[in-house]
Every structure is written in structure tokens, then in C-alpha cells.
Amino acid sequence: MQEAQRWSRIESLFDAVIELPEQQRERYLRNECAEDLALLAEVQQLLDAAAHSTDFLKDVGAAHEATPLLSPGTLVGEWRIGALLGRGGMGEVYLAERAGRDFEQKAALKLLTRLDSDDDRSRFAAERRILGRLQHPGIAHLLDGGEYSGMPYVVMEYVTGQRLDTHAATLPLLRRIDLFLQICAAVSHAHQHLIVHRDLKPSNIMVTPEGRIKLLDFGIAKHLDLTQPGDVTQVIRASPDYCAPEQLRGEAVSAATDVYALGVILHELLSGQRLWQLGGLPLMQALERLASADVPLPSAAVNDPAQRRMLRGDLDSIVLRALRADPHARYHSVDALADDLCAHLESRPVRARGGALSYRIGRTLRRHRWWFAGAAALFASLLVGLAGVIWQARETAIERDLARREAERADAVRQYLMLMFRTAGEQPQSESLTAKAVLDQAAARLQRQFSSDPGRYSEMLLALADLYYYLNDYAGARPLLTQLLNGLRSIEPAQRAMAQHDLAQIEFRENQAEAASELLLEAQQYWNTQPQTYRSELLASRLLQSQLERTAGDPERALDTLLTALPERLAASGRYHRDTGVLINNLGIAYFQLGRNEQAIEYFEQAQAIWDALDLARSADALNTLNNWAAAELRRQRPEVAVEIFYRALVLRRELYGPSAAMAALQSNLGKTLLQLRRAEEALPLLQEAAAMAEQYAGADGVLTVAARLGLADALSATGAVDDAKAQLDALALQIHARYGDVHLLGALLEVSRARLAAAAGNRALALEILARAQSRFEALGPAGAPYLLQLEPLRHQWAGNEGDATSRSGAGAAPSAGSADKA
């Protein structure tokens, strides 16, 4: 079937079923497309697009009442026109496919028929150039633009999925907030480029089948430098239910305009109901309603008491601040709005609630309750109370000893908590109440107040070291543990063993495996003198033991250690417990290290299910599992799955932490995986940011930085910037030779990047020659180079067989970075 005939067939089928009920539609299409499933899929895509289109895409059935300006098969620039998707006041929208390329790319082409003056045209051209700079995974990309028969057109990424309100209707609260934070990230990216969307609403936000948001339709977006007061015609094209008061008044818009629209959307996501119904109201009545201070609370709009309790307080206050009538009284930026939401999720003080000291301390207590839950049984004793401990002590001698130890430690923790938060309460209200600040302030008073009581002092030092460790502050924990082991004469053997175990973990984290092994062995030897009494400590120590065995070159033994511990852990804690989740995650790592990727993925999926069940999906534990899971999917040759998991991990890491070497590694891995999937334009900004971040936090010569810059060079090659790629690789070649020598993994990866550059420049013979050199280097590295050999054959096949766009088909160095899948 010729292309034009095929599009005609698709359009006729679309017209035939668009008005039919769902069941009749499916039956009709199955009969008509029984022998052409590809045809059925293309018609279904059009139906999905029509069902979830934005307001710009009016009802397709109505749109077909007039003859479309473009017929199927028409070439507009590089794009072959398909079926009409919709028609609105500004023009027509078509499904389009890039013509004359050896790969498929579908898009939505908007033909703009209503630009009333030369000034309109020049402003449209300027705004199109601005929008072309927006490269963010949460924004539908601008692919192309130009003029056709005197009419401007833009070509946008074609997005499938559901509109935001439809998708979110049945989701739990945390998942709805997660989607909203994704929206904030996309809008923030636009604001960083001085773009205000001005028409944010659920119908302009799609959720892909993978659960990722895509922000659509920047048709009335404005560059802040171009936005002028009195721009009322643009307001008319927006949806009044989501417009800020200043927008309806025709005043100058700003980032606060989008903050208001986001507040309306957040209210709708939390309550399940639209906040305003302003369509059809006279302008003055609409402005009067928006200016009212009586904004309905999200919690007041829900009937379920449990949901209402979840919304009261923080979430109600966040929404109200975003919806202030005065733009200056709202959040000053989208990032500030998102930060307050993240603060709520992490039980940190929310700015919208004010700064009362009692509220700040209450929030800090709530936020850091998980430190003690993670510290073996420290917090368990606090929760059950001394009465339960005393009752247990009557049962057996073993349980009596255990209860005594836990009671002593619980008392120490209680004393320390009182000291810690009394110290915090004495600080000026303006000072930040961070966990690190609270710990440092209290630690300064610890020795002065408790050094006269050695028994209690040692327990409190151990508790304090635990808290520093859970903050990953090894510099804070190490001197406390060293003082316990070397500076206190009266430390009890049980305290010494626990301190040895904790210090062993720090030594291992700082790559001192031999010292860690010695400390762990001493601790386990003591615990094994009374294995029933110290069952919990022995079980927890198996995680570090397994890591040390793997580091020593015995991955099979490391796996066996964890498999032996799992039944005992399940018996002690049950499946849905944080300690069980950590052990199962480590089992996934052990299988991954052995190359048994399917089993690794099974355990990572189990660990993620535990985090979800425990409401820890937004925790450091979940982030760790996502990183490991994505790495395993890459090794299993499923980059499309890995990309989605990497994106989930990146969103979570940005919410939990600031920029760091770990974030640079994650972005680098994501960018390189996108290169494998021919998504070079999407990968480029991620790799640019990763390279800069890695240099800042890992040093210019660090392995992470060099690997990230190699990925950036590959992205530059894939996007056609061959001169920039060559300059990048020439500089890296000198750096790698001087810092790492000729026989190093980075040197082999450099050769792969050079081969890609040669292919991008059109010299595939040279690319194959360089690829052969890279293979020799990987083979010379032995086991360290073996995983990378898998990437070479697809490249060789493409370049030798002249297949497709070889520069963007497979990404160099997209395998997981060292350590990205090796965290406990």
C-alpha cells in the first residue's frame, strides 16, 4: 500500500469509529484490521491522542466537518503529513512522520493559520527559537519549525498516554504528589530559560505509560523579556479556571503566574475536584472570585476522614500559599513550592506553616524517627517502653540479658534525645534546624555533662556515632568510635563489639577492607560466645561480612552468606521490614556481581515492593535499589527499561539530596543509556550537567569525571557536533595518558568514543579500525574489560552493514559506573 493510500485508509477508519461507543469501536477495528495489526495500532494511536488531547486539539469529529488544509502524504519541510488530529482557533494539528530518514520518528505538526500581523509573526519566530532551547525529559520537545505556503508551523514530540487528571484519579496520595513534583521540575526548567508557560492545566500535561509527565503546548508561552502588560488576547486563549488574577487583568505575568496555576493543579490532585468553575463568567466576576481570600481548603473537599487528615496542615498551607491573590505573597519560585512539598514528605518544617519553634522541633522529631528505627533495636526499646522490657526479662536468662542491654541503650538514647533537642530549642529561631546542626551542637555538650558516668557516657557515644553514620558523616562518627575503643577504660565487652562493628562499616566505606575485616572478626568472635543472646547483632553483621567476601574476590561465598541469613531474617523481622528489604537488596547485588542478572532483578523488584509497602518509596533505601535495578537491566540488554528506572532514581535523588558525585554518576549513566536508544538530544543536557557536576565533586581527573566527559563526547558526536566532540576527546586523551597510563579501562573507552566520532564524520572504515583497537584493549584488561566487549559487536555490525544512524544507536560507557550497583 502506498504511503498516501495508507494514510487515507487510517483516516477513513478513524472517521468511522470516532463517534462509536468503546465496545463497538473495538469490534469494528478488529474486523477491519484483522490482517494488518500495524494498521490497527496506528489507528488506535490516533484515537488515544484524540481522547487525551489538549484544548488546542478540539473534537476531531467536529474538525473533520471542513476539509483539512493539508492532505495525507503532503510534505511540509522534512515531515510527511498523516491524519488530522484536531483543529482549533489557532490552526490545525496533524500526525506527521519524518520523511527521507532511515529511522521512524512520529510527531505532532501544528499549522498556525491565525497570525494577524508581521509583529505576530516575528514574535512567534522569536518564541519558537526560545522554546527550542528547552531540553527536559518532562517537556515535549520542539523538533522543527518553519513556514509552509506562508503559514508558520511547529513540530512537537508526539506524546502518548493519559492527561494528568484522568491518570491521577485512582492513584494514592504519594504517587499524585510525585507526579506534581515532576511537573514542578519541568516548569522550573522552563523558568530557568525565562519561559513562562501561562496555560498550565491538566489537559496540557500528559502522563506516559511509564508514569512520566510530559508538559505540552507552549503555544501561548512567553519569554519574560518579551512579556508586556495588556497582553489580554493571550489570556483569552488560556483556560480561566487555571489563570492567575493578574493574568485575567492583562497585567504583566511572571514566574508567579505559573506558580498560581500549579497551586490550582495541586489542589485538584489532592482533592480530586476542580477548584474553580470560571468558564462563561463575566471577567469582573471571575476576578472577584479569584481575589477572594476564601479559597476552599483541599482537605475540606474530600469525604474520607483518613484522606482529610493527610491533607490538613502542611498540604493545605502549601496550596493556600501558592494561590495568594498577590503574586508577591506566593512562593517566589516553582522550586520553592517543590521544596516545601519535599519538606512535608520528609517531615521537615514547611515554610508555608511559619516558623514557630514548637512546630519546627515537632517536625524534626518526626523526620528523624527513622534514624533510630534503622539502628538495630535502639528505637524499638523506646517504643515498647521499659514495662515491656521488664516483662521480657522474666522469661529466660537469655531474654533477661537482652532486655537489660536494650533497656540501658534505650535509656542512653532517651537521655541523648533530651540533650539534643534541648540544645536545638536554645538556638535562635532564625537558625536552620538541620539534622547535622543538631548533632554537632549536642555533641559539643555531651562529654561535659556525662563524662562522670562512664557506663552511660559510652552508650551515648555509641548512639551518637550511629546517628552520624546514618547521615553518612563518617568524619563525625569515626572519632567517637575510636574514643570508645581506645580512650575509655571501663567500656563493656558488648559495647566494644558494637563499636568495632560500626567502625568496620566506616573502614569498608572508605576502602579499608583489611582493617574492616579485622574489626568485624573481633566483634563476631565476641557475639559467638553467646549466639542466642546476640542473634540480632550477628544477623546484622552478615551484610558487611558478605560485602567483604565479595571484595576479597569470593562472590559465591558472599552470596551464600546472604542466602543463609535470609530465612533467619524473615523469621526475626518478617518480610515487610526495613532490615529484610536491605538484605534482599544486597542479595540482588550479589547475584548481579555474579552476572546472574535475571535473579538480581527479581530481588531488586522484591526490595522495591517492600519499600512501597513500608511507605519508604521516597527513601535512600529505595534510591539505592533503583540504582542497582537499573544497572542490572542494562546488563540484561534492556536499556529501554533501565532508562525509566534511572529517571525514577534521578527524580528521587534530586528530591532527597543536593548535587553530588553520586548524582553526577547517576545522570551520566542515564545519559549514556539514552544514547543507546537514539535519544541523543535528550541525553546531551544530562551529560553536560553530569560532567560539570562530576568535576566539581570528584575532581577534574577523577574516574567519574573522565567517564562523564566521554559520554558527553559521544552525545556531541551523535547530535552532529563533531568538532566539539573531537576537541573534547583530544583533551581527554592527554588527560587519560598522563593520569592513568595506556593500560586502563578509560583508555579503552576513549577508543570507543573515537570510533563513534569517526562514524559520525562519515568515515566508517576508520571507525571499524579504531573499534578493533578498543577490543584489543578491553581483552587485555581481562575480567574488568569483559562487560564492555558486549557493546562492540552491535557497533561493528552497524558500521560494516551501513545500518541506520550508527552514531546514536549504542552509547559508549553506558554500563553501570563502578559502585552504582554495589551499595548496601
Side-chain angles (χ1 to χ4, degrees):
M1 185 184 299
Q2 296 295 322
E3 193 67 20
Q5 294 175 327
R6 185 175 183 82
W7 281 119
S8 179
R9 175 64 172 155
I10 292 171
E11 190 170 7
S12 65
L13 287 170
F14 182 92
D15 289 342
V17 300
I18 184 62
E19 299 295 339
L20 294 179
E22 186 70 21
Q23 291 183 345
Q24 294 182 31
R25 176 189 296 176
E26 292 179 0
R27 193 180 310 117
Y28 181 90
L29 289 175
R30 280 198 303 269
N31 291 335
E32 291 294 320
C33 305
E35 297 180 2
D36 192 344
L37 296 181
L39 181 66
L40 174 62
E42 292 188 72
V43 176
Q44 188 59 54
Q45 280 188 324
L46 291 186
L47 292 169
D48 290 343
H52 308 303
S53 62
T54 69
D55 289 352
F56 183 87
L57 307 180
K58 300 297 182 183
D59 183 88
V60 178
H64 282 290
E65 293 176 3
T67 302
L69 293 174
L70 304 177
S71 57
T74 302
L75 281 178
V76 177
E78 293 188 351
W79 302 90
R80 180 177 291 108
I81 296 300
L84 178 70
L85 294 178
R87 175 182 286 124
M90 293 291 293
E92 297 178 340
V93 182
Y94 299 86
L95 185 67
E97 185 178 35
R98 193 183 287 273
R101 295 291 184 96
D102 50 5
F103 61 92
E104 295 182 0
Q105 184 178 22
K106 289 186 178 178
L109 185 145
K110 298 184 180 184
L111 187 68
L112 295 153
T113 59
R114 283 194 54 191
L115 291 179
D116 301 327
S117 67
D118 290 340
D119 183 55
D120 282 345
R121 288 178 180 275
S122 62
R123 291 175 67 184
F124 168 74
E127 290 172 16
R128 189 180 66 202
R129 288 192 297 272
I130 293 165
L131 293 176
R133 298 203 307 266
L134 297 183
Q135 296 292 325
H136 188 276
I139 297 176
H141 298 158
L142 178 69
L143 301 177
D144 199 1
E147 285 202 5
Y148 178 81
S149 298
M151 293 176 289
Y153 69 87
V154 291
V155 183
M156 302 295 294
E157 175 186 358
Y158 181 72
V159 180
T160 59
Q162 290 182 303
R163 52 183 275 171
L164 175 68
D165 48 358
T166 303
H167 180 85
T170 59
L171 294 179
L173 177 63
L174 286 177
R175 181 61 183 134
R176 281 176 272 152
I177 294 176
D178 175 70
L179 289 174
F180 184 79
L181 287 171
Q182 289 186 46
I183 298 167
C184 288
V187 176
S188 175
H189 178 81
H191 287 183
Q192 289 169 18
H193 290 77
L194 300 181
I195 304 294
V196 182
H197 189 285
R198 301 204 302 173
D199 195 17
L200 292 168
K201 55 189 175 183
S203 60
N204 274 342
I205 304 167
M206 297 287 283
V207 184
T208 69
E210 297 78 24
R212 304 293 309 168
I213 69 100
K214 285 284 187 179
L215 194 58
L216 309 178
D217 208 346
F218 279 79
I220 68 167
K222 279 292 179 185
H223 192 287
L224 287 174
D225 293 342
L226 301 178
T227 304
Q228 300 295 333
D231 196 6
V232 181
T233 57
Q234 298 290 357
V235 174
I236 296 172
R237 296 169 188 163
S239 300
D241 291 354
Y242 300 90
C243 280
E246 68 270 15
Q247 199 173 1
L248 288 179
R249 288 193 293 265
E251 298 171 355
V253 300
S254 65
T257 306
D258 281 349
V259 168
Y260 186 94
L262 288 170
V264 181
I265 292 170
L266 180 59
H267 190 295
E268 189 169 335
L269 286 174
L270 297 177
S271 67
Q273 301 179 28
R274 181 174 287 196
L275 174 59
W276 307 121
Q277 297 286 347
L278 304 178
L281 285 180
L283 180 61
M284 292 307 296
Q285 288 187 28
L287 283 171
E288 182 180 353
R289 186 72 188 92
L290 293 182
S292 170
D294 187 22
V295 177
L297 295 174
S299 62
V302 299
N303 296 320
D304 180 64
Q307 288 285 324
R308 193 179 304 125
R309 284 194 299 272
M310 295 173 71
L311 301 184
R312 282 177 181 160
D314 285 357
L315 293 175
D316 277 346
S317 299
I318 290 170
V319 170
L320 290 183
R321 180 161 180 178
L323 293 176
R324 298 271 179 86
D326 180 1
H328 301 292
R330 298 173 203 148
Y331 289 103
H332 67 273
S333 68
V334 175
D335 287 340
L337 168 59
D339 286 345
D340 244 7
L341 270 177
C342 291
H344 165 73
L345 294 174
E346 298 166 14
S347 297
R348 290 188 285 109
V350 167
R351 291 186 179 89
R353 296 285 300 275
L357 183 59
S358 60
Y359 169 71
R360 293 162 62 223
I361 290 181
R363 276 285 146 179
T364 304
L365 279 167
R366 179 178 176 185
R367 179 189 179 198
H368 299 304
R369 68 192 186 277
W370 295 109
W371 299 349
F372 306 98
L378 292 184
F379 224 62
S381 295
L382 294 179
L383 294 175
V384 300
L386 287 177
V389 171
I390 294 170
W391 178 83
Q392 284 186 336
R394 296 194 185 110
E395 297 303 301
T396 65
I398 291 175
E399 293 300 325
R400 182 172 59 249
D401 291 341
L402 176 63
R404 179 182 57 79
R405 289 188 299 106
E406 295 301 335
E408 289 175 353
R409 196 142 197 214
D411 183 63
V413 171
R414 272 196 299 274
Q415 294 281 351
Y416 181 71
L417 279 172
M418 292 173 61
L419 171 68
M420 184 168 64
F421 288 104
R422 184 167 66 249
T423 301
E426 294 171 359
Q427 301 307 307
Q429 188 166 333
S430 60
E431 291 192 11
S432 174
L433 200 66
T434 65
K436 182 66 165 58
V438 171
L439 284 176
D440 290 343
Q441 292 161 9
R445 297 177 58 174
L446 180 60
Q447 185 172 6
R448 184 172 67 252
Q449 291 192 223
F450 290 95
S451 58
S452 61
D453 185 350
R456 182 170 296 178
Y457 181 51
S458 61
E459 282 288 2
M460 294 186 70
L461 277 180
L462 196 55
L464 179 57
D466 284 340
L467 296 180
Y468 273 111
Y469 178 79
Y470 291 126
L471 285 176
N472 293 320
D473 186 353
Y474 306 144
R478 180 184 285 278
L480 299 176
L481 295 169
T482 302
Q483 182 182 2
L484 273 169
L485 293 174
N486 302 325
L488 293 182
R489 298 177 181 177
S490 60
I491 183 172
E492 293 184 359
Q495 294 172 340
R496 174 176 292 277
M498 184 60 70
Q500 287 170 330
H501 174 264
D502 291 352
L503 186 56
Q505 293 190 86
I506 293 175
E507 296 285 10
F508 175 75
R509 297 286 186 182
E510 296 183 343
N511 298 315
Q512 301 298 321
E514 184 175 348
S517 296
E518 292 176 2
L519 287 163
L520 179 63
L521 180 60
E522 289 183 39
Q524 288 180 331
Q525 284 176 342
Y526 173 76
W527 290 330
N528 277 318
T529 62
Q530 301 178 68
Q532 288 301 315
T533 301
Y534 297 106
R535 180 182 61 179
S536 177
E537 286 85 348
L538 283 167
L539 186 55
S541 74
R542 301 305 177 202
L543 297 177
L544 179 56
Q545 178 184 333
S546 173
Q547 292 171 317
L548 288 167
E549 289 165 345
R550 187 169 66 244
T551 301
D554 196 347
E556 291 285 357
R557 185 179 177 186
L559 174 61
D560 185 64
T561 294
L562 296 177
L563 287 174
T564 302
L566 182 58
E568 191 175 354
R569 171 54 69 194
L570 290 170
S573 306
R575 172 163 288 274
Y576 294 104
H577 189 281
R578 180 184 177 275
D579 290 341
T580 306
V582 170
L583 176 56
I584 288 176
N585 177 75
N586 279 29
L587 270 166
I589 295 172
Y591 277 114
F592 175 85
Q593 293 293 330
L594 289 167
R596 296 160 66 175
N597 297 310
E598 290 191 14
Q599 290 162 298
I601 290 169
E602 289 178 9
Y603 278 99
F604 293 141
E605 289 174 338
Q606 289 180 40
Q608 189 63 40
I610 292 172
W611 308 139
D612 291 341
L614 295 176
D615 198 21
L616 292 175
R618 309 179 77 85
S619 67
D621 290 317
L623 175 60
N624 185 18
T625 296
L626 289 172
N627 284 333
N628 299 335
W629 185 0
E633 294 289 0
L634 274 180
R635 287 279 182 89
R636 201 181 173 190
Q637 301 298 308
R638 298 205 301 180
E640 68 286 348
V641 179
V643 159
E644 297 306 322
I645 301 172
F646 273 139
Y647 265 128
R648 288 171 59 187
L650 183 58
V651 169
L652 183 54
R653 177 165 282 283
R654 283 174 172 167
E655 293 172 7
L656 294 178
Y657 308 108
S660 65
M663 184 177 290
L666 175 56
Q667 284 196 202
S668 180
N669 282 341
L670 171 57
K672 293 170 185 177
T673 309
L674 287 168
L675 289 178
Q676 291 191 42
L677 297 173
R678 298 185 174 189
R679 293 158 65 176
E681 295 289 346
E682 189 176 344
L684 183 58
L686 287 167
L687 289 164
Q688 287 171 328
E689 184 179 356
M693 196 185 306
E695 183 169 354
Q696 180 179 357
Y697 292 97
D701 291 330
V703 172
L704 173 59
T705 304
V706 176
R709 289 180 61 194
L710 286 171
L712 175 57
D714 292 339
L716 292 168
S717 295
T719 53
V722 292
D723 291 339
D724 291 339
K726 183 178 185 304
Q728 185 86 221
L729 293 177
D730 288 346
L732 284 171
L734 296 174
Q735 187 176 1
I736 292 171
H737 177 76
R739 180 71 173 81
Y740 298 100
D742 294 330
V743 183
H744 193 277
L745 179 61
L746 290 174
L749 291 173
L750 173 66
E751 294 299 325
V752 177
S753 295
R754 281 172 162 167
R756 282 195 176 82
L757 175 60
N763 194 340
R764 299 195 176 201
L766 177 59
L768 290 169
E769 180 183 331
I770 299 174
L771 201 64
R773 291 206 306 263
Q775 180 171 340
S776 297
R777 291 200 175 196
F778 283 128
E779 291 171 346
L781 292 169
Y788 297 88
L789 291 170
L790 297 174
Q791 300 179 26
L792 304 186
E793 189 56 35
L795 292 173
R796 183 179 292 106
H797 179 67
Q798 289 170 250
W799 297 337
N802 199 32
E803 273 189 31
D805 182 2
T807 65
S808 60
R809 188 174 178 92
S810 181
S817 64
S820 67
D822 193 27
K823 296 180 181 177

